[in-house]
Amino acid sequence: MDDPGHIAAISPHLDDAVASCGALLAAYPGSTVVTVFAGAPAAGAPQTDWDRRCGFPDGATAMAQRCAEDDKALHLLKARPVRLPFLDDQYIRAMTRVSPKIEKIAPALANALDQAQARTVLFPMGLFHSDHVLASDAVLALVAATSDRLWVAYEDALYRTKPGLLHARLVQFYTRGYSLTPVVFGAPSNIHRKATAVSAYASQLGELGVKKGEGDAAAPERYWLLSESVKQQP
């Protein structure tokens, strides 16, 4: 893909697009990163186990710090942040609320993509984590109604290494009427700038087991171009 136009990357959480697509985003300065679950819980919300392990007293403090880290990472990649107000699943569960519906997420994503004037949309394959699946499915809800964009799934960093998940998800896409074909971009990726950007998310790297320039976040990024499945002749 030599001319993707303006790129918008859909990120479930504040670090996912950089961990999964950072080298590509660095190669296309001016891209937009739309984070779906970037909302902060209200003061007094129960502390989650993940926030406690990361050293935060509450979710509001954690999200403020993560947004600051995200600002730093995207500045390094010369990307523009857009953040939607939906709550991370950990906060939904802690407050015993119902997860946001695709019917609410999809229109918010559509508006963000329109505002960004995105021609190519990178979106998570939707592996393992419920927020990743929800973000991916919300994008699929937009595909049929938007024919003038290129939709490219990226393999969710850290989760794509779990045995069988990627292949199972490819089958799910196919049963919904979509096929995914490997695609590469013309501009050379910048793995060194990505490594520096990933290291900006310092508050979570220890718990995630991520070290600069090592592990799956440092492995080659892989992309899949979405298209309608070819109908089999009877």
Side-chain angles (χ1 to χ4, degrees):
M1 187 180 294
D2 293 317
D3 183 20
H6 186 77
I7 292 175
I10 307 300
S11 186
H13 305 114
L14 289 164
D15 56 349
D16 291 316
V18 174
S20 302
C21 312
L24 179 62
L25 293 173
Y28 292 92
S31 296
T32 300
V33 174
V34 182
T35 303
V36 179
F37 302 100
Q47 184 190 42
T48 66
D49 178 64
W50 181 256
D51 285 347
R52 179 187 59 76
R53 286 158 55 191
C54 291
F56 293 113
D58 54 64
T61 302
M63 290 305 297
Q65 177 63 30
R66 288 174 186 141
C67 284
E69 293 172 347
D70 192 50
D71 283 338
K72 180 179 178 181
L74 297 187
H75 177 74
L76 289 166
L77 299 178
K78 299 182 180 179
R80 184 176 72 91
V82 174
R83 295 176 184 131
L84 303 183
F86 301 102
L87 290 179
D88 186 319
D89 179 66
Q90 64 172 323
Y91 301 126
I92 293 290
R93 286 185 285 107
M95 293 184 286
T96 62
R97 293 185 179 179
V98 177
S99 298
K101 302 295 185 183
I102 289 176
E103 291 78 11
K104 288 190 175 182
I105 296 174
L109 279 176
N111 182 62
L113 295 175
D114 287 343
Q115 291 293 321
Q117 297 184 322
R119 180 170 181 267
T120 297
V121 179
L122 310 178
F123 68 97
M125 186 78 74
L127 304 179
F128 185 69
H129 195 295
S130 61
D131 284 342
H132 286 237
V133 176
L134 194 53
S136 183
D137 287 347
V139 169
L140 284 185
L142 303 177
V143 171
T146 314
S147 60
D148 58 343
R149 289 194 172 112
L150 298 172
W151 303 90
V152 179
Y154 63 80
E155 296 182 8
D156 314 44
L158 307 186
Y159 298 140
R160 64 178 176 171
T161 60
K162 294 183 179 294
L165 284 185
L166 179 60
H167 291 86
R169 187 62 171 164
L170 289 172
V171 171
Q172 289 177 1
F173 274 96
Y174 189 79
T175 59
R176 296 182 187 187
Y178 297 103
S179 59
L180 290 166
T181 305
V183 65
V184 295
F185 288 79
S189 59
N190 192 325
I191 58 173
H192 301 295
R193 183 166 291 179
K194 174 185 177 175
T196 303
V198 169
S199 67
Y201 300 100
S203 66
Q204 299 189 93
L205 294 183
E207 288 300 319
L208 290 171
V210 175
K211 296 181 180 179
K212 184 176 180 180
E214 299 180 16
D216 188 50
E221 299 170 357
R222 291 192 291 268
Y223 299 95
W224 302 74
L225 181 64
L226 185 79
S227 61
E228 290 188 6
S229 299
V230 177
K231 302 276 191 308
Q232 298 292 327
Q233 296 296 325

